[in-house]
């Protein structure tokens, strides 16, 4: 078959066939690198210091507790929305067996049989496997636990009350503390709620079932409307949590966190410090490129002025 070649040098077909398509080869010059590095340095330093400044202005007070109550002192007024967290340290919610010990289909409101949940919940499938204080009156011990599994069984039912120095109770708003998708879709009660040993739509329970990836974690307990005046406060803890669960050396440190947040989240110096370090790295790059370019220019001038005698 006779091949027909394009002869119009202006057409794309001709350029492709003759392999003369123009290409772009970007060879950055030292001045381009220095300009880009300097601009990156200015932007990152500005962002980094801004984040550090905002983070430093936020409040975050850690209060360790072991017994039923403890006291703490605020050295200044807090005029922003206060978020109350409870934190466990040395508590491994990320243990593989622990995470797998739950039945997601059951938690979404399905009344499953023993054979359907036993492969997930294993040793905590029946109500008889629960702690005595978790078994409500009227629940059959030989029935399937709703919810089943170690994650549900290990739920911390601690409640917190804060009193000021005058003995007045500080209101804690415990609503809207969990993700709306969890409360509306993932966690649902049975049609007959009397079969349950706990309300799975309780937002504290929902937060507990969202496992953490490290051994030190915190979960939102509630919100306190401002202002919170400086002074001495007493923290009362009810239903003190003391379970023999998956922990290291049998010790768990429990804390309450009083914190404020901003658009960047809670108080954390890590992100701002990291961005600032990256900014200084670009500054160092600009200085190094400038020095290398200067040395190259000096060498070019040196060799250009030499009088070579080729005879």
């Amino acid at each position: 078959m006779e091949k027909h070649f394009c002869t119009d040098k202006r057409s794309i077909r001709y350029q492709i066939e003759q392999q003369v398509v123009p290409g772009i080869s970007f060879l950055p010059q030292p001045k381009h690198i220095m300009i880009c590095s300097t601009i990156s340095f200015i932007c990152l330093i500005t962002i980094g210091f801004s984040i550090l400044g905002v983070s430093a202005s936020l409040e975050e007070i850690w209060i360790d507790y072991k017994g039923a109550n403890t006291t703490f002192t605020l050295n200044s007024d807090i005029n922003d929305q206060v978020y109350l967290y409870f934190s466990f340290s040395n508590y491994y919610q990320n243990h593989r067996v622990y995470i797998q010990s739950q039945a997601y289909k059951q938690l979404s409101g399905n009344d499953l049989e023993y054979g359907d949940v036993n492969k997930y919940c294993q040793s905590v499938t029946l109500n008889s496997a629960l702690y005595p204080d978790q078994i409500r009156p009227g629940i059959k011990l030989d029935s399937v636990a709703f919810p089943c599994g170690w994650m549900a069984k290990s739920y911390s039912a601690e409640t917190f009350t804060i009193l000021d120095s005058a003995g007045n109770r500080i209101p804690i708003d415990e609503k809207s503390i969990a993700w709306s998708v969890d409360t509306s879709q993932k966690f649902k009660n049975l049609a007959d709620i009397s079969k349950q040993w706990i309300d799975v739509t309780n937002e504290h329970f929902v937060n507990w079932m969202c496992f953490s990836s490290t051994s030190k974690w915190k979960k939102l307990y509630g919100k306190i409307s401002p202002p919170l005046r400086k002074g001495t406060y007493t923290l009362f803890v009810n239903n003190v949590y003391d379970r023999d669960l998956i922990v290291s050396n049998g010790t768990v440190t429990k804390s309450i966190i009083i914190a404020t947040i901003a658009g960047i989240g809670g108080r954390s110096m890590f992100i701002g410090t990291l961005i600032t370090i990256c900014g200084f790295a670009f500054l160092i790059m600009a200085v190094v490129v400038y020095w290398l370019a200067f040395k190259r220019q000096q060498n070019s001038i040196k060799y250009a002025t030499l009088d070579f005698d080729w005879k």
Side-chain angles (χ1 to χ4, degrees), residues 110-131:
N110 296 290
D111 192 3
L112 303 180
E113 300 295 331
Y114 179 88
D116 298 325
V117 299
N118 185 52
K119 58 182 178 180
Y120 303 110
C121 299
Q122 300 172 358
S123 60
V124 190
T125 303
L126 301 177
N127 288 318
S128 58
L130 299 173
Y131 291 113

Side-chain angles (χ1 to χ4, degrees), residues 20-51:
V20 292
V21 178
I24 299 176
S25 179
F26 178 69
L27 297 176
Q29 299 298 316
K31 64 178 181 180
H32 298 148
I33 298 177
M34 288 187 291
I35 292 174
C36 292
S37 298
T38 303
I39 293 175
S40 299
F41 162 72
I42 295 174
C43 294
L44 291 176
I45 286 296
T46 303
I47 296 173
F49 278 116
S50 298
I51 293 177

Side-chain angles (χ1 to χ4, degrees), residues 21 30 36 38 48 51 55-56 76 82 109 115 139 159 174 179 188 195 207 217 220 222 227 232 238 267 271:
V21 178
C36 292
T38 303
I51 293 177
S55 184
S76 59
V82 176
I139 290 183
T159 59
E174 301 176 29
W179 292 102
K188 296 180 180 179
K195 295 181 179 180
N207 281 345
W217 44 263
L220 183 61
T232 301
N238 301 318
R267 183 171 187 172
I271 297 178

Side-chain angles (χ1 to χ4, degrees), residues 4-121:
H4 299 279
F5 296 97
C6 180
T7 58
D8 186 3
K9 296 183 178 181
R10 295 175 299 178
S11 68
I12 296 297
R13 178 183 171 185
Y14 175 86
Q15 294 179 16
I16 293 176
E17 291 177 346
Q18 302 302 319
Q19 298 183 5
V20 292
V21 178
I24 299 176
S25 179
F26 178 69
L27 297 176
Q29 299 298 316
K31 64 178 181 180
H32 298 148
I33 298 177
M34 288 187 291
I35 292 174
C36 292
S37 298
T38 303
I39 293 175
S40 299
F41 162 72
I42 295 174
C43 294
L44 291 176
I45 286 296
T46 303
I47 296 173
F49 278 116
S50 298
I51 293 177
L52 288 174
V54 172
S55 184
S57 66
L58 298 177
E59 297 285 348
E60 187 171 281
I61 303 171
W62 288 69
I63 307 161
D64 294 342
Y65 68 92
K66 294 182 179 179
N69 61 78
T70 185
T71 59
F72 63 94
T73 302
L74 296 181
N75 296 321
S76 59
D77 294 343
I78 301 178
N79 297 314
D80 298 320
Q81 177 76 67
V82 176
Y83 293 84
L84 187 67
Y85 300 86
F86 71 94
S87 172
F88 282 18
S89 300
N90 211 29
Y91 189 108
Y92 293 85
Q93 270 201 327
N94 58 347
H95 194 285
R96 179 178 60 84
V97 177
Y98 182 83
I99 294 172
Q100 293 176 345
S101 185
Q102 58 177 311
Y104 293 103
K105 191 174 181 180
Q106 184 196 49
L107 290 171
S108 60
N110 296 290
D111 192 3
L112 303 180
E113 300 295 331
Y114 179 88
D116 298 325
V117 299
N118 185 52
K119 58 182 178 180
Y120 303 110
C121 299

Side-chain angles (χ1 to χ4, degrees), residues 185-250:
Q185 300 181 25
K186 293 184 179 181
F187 293 85
K188 296 180 180 179
N189 291 320
L190 295 174
D192 184 5
I193 198 173
S194 62
K195 295 181 179 180
Q196 303 176 203
W197 62 270
I198 193 173
D199 179 6
V200 298
T201 61
N202 182 297
E203 294 191 49
H204 294 298
F205 179 81
V206 172
N207 281 345
W208 179 269
M209 296 298 289
C210 298
F211 68 89
S212 301
S213 58
T214 62
S215 62
K216 183 177 182 179
W217 44 263
K218 65 180 181 180
K219 297 181 184 292
L220 183 61
Y221 180 82
K223 294 169 286 186
I224 301 176
S225 300
L228 197 60
R229 301 300 184 187
K230 66 179 181 179
T232 301
Y233 294 83
T234 303
L235 171 68
F236 290 91
V237 184
N238 301 318
N239 301 322
V240 177
Y241 183 80
D242 188 17
R243 307 292 194 194
D244 51 341
L245 299 173
I246 307 171
V247 297
S248 175
N249 299 323

